Amino acid sequence: MYLKQIYKNLTADKMTGQKRFVVLLDPDKMRLSKMDQVLKASVDAGVDYFFIGGSLIVSDMLDNILITIREATNIPTILFPGNSYQLSYKADAILFLSLISGRNSELLIGNHVLAAPYLKMSPLEILPTGYLLIDGGVRTTVSYISNTQPIPPDKPDIAACTAMAGEMLGMKLMYLDAGSGARHPVSPEIISAVTNITDVPLIVGGGIRNPEAARQAAEAGANIIVVGNAIEKDPGLISDISFAVHTSRTQPIS
Ligand code: 1GP
């Protein structure tokens, strides 16, 4: 009942092997002066979705950014909230994230209880998402704020079992995140371990800085590739990363 067109499209894309490219906009980091450039480049490059969020939104820019995107593009906007204050009816959908790699009950279910009545009344499409933090070589804001340990990068079995449990609990998407600004993106071994054992569409992000890294993640089995930091620094990367993602197909890992 809460899953609508966006989820239908994501599952259809997984079936056909079509990879999707997401630009993550963090309202705290994105200067409005740069927004025009990012939005224009995203339209020109065929970006599929915007994720809007960050671990710590300290500005009141959330609604403004959503309005600006809606005026300039038809690209769907999906909230990627770092906490239950980062909600807005002006987006198209929300990743309803449960941090299943951690053992912080507030981020597993507590915040969701508080947000549920607001979401029930909202027009947002709700995308129940198992969120797994993978160690990317630096202590990230999300790891500090969530007070959880990321999954070690050399433990694909832990990631696979965690994602399996999330899928069995009914989560409709999995998100493997090395955290914004990670030194190392999520490895192909972890991506392929998760994608081989689960059927739901797989989102991968954190520390992807160039087309090669995006292609590597997509070929390992990610269905949706998210890039934030690198694009905030250089919006010129959008077209090359978009091309790399859209021309990738999952390759078997030898
Ligand atoms: C972080 O997956 C996103 O949650 C994107 O990370 O900013 O490092 O691209 P980057």
Side-chain angles (χ1 to χ4, degrees), residues 24 29 51 80 131 142 175-182 204-209 226-232:
L24 169 65
K29 291 190 197 152
F51 282 179
F80 172 40
Y131 185 56
V142 56
Y175 191 155
L176 296 175
D177 196 348
S180 200
V204 173
I208 295 173
R209 294 186 179 78
V226 184
V227 182
N229 250 310
I231 284 169
E232 274 154 24

Side-chain angles (χ1 to χ4, degrees), residues 181-220:
R183 189 172 300 140
H184 313 294
V186 180
S187 69
E189 290 71 24
I190 293 218
I191 294 170
S192 102
V194 168
T195 201
N196 286 340
I197 204 82
T198 55
D199 291 325
V200 297
L202 177 62
I203 308 168
V204 173
I208 295 173
R209 294 186 179 78
N210 52 52
E212 295 71 38
R215 183 181 295 283
Q216 196 177 46
E219 291 189 342

Side-chain angles (χ1 to χ4, degrees), residues 132 211 243:
L132 290 78
F243 180 78

Side-chain angles (χ1 to χ4, degrees), residues 19 192 196 215-216 218-221 247-254:
K19 308 294 181 175
S192 102
N196 286 340
R215 183 181 295 283
Q216 196 177 46
E219 291 189 342
T247 54
S248 294
R249 289 286 177 274
T250 300
Q251 303 286 339
I253 295 233
S254 49

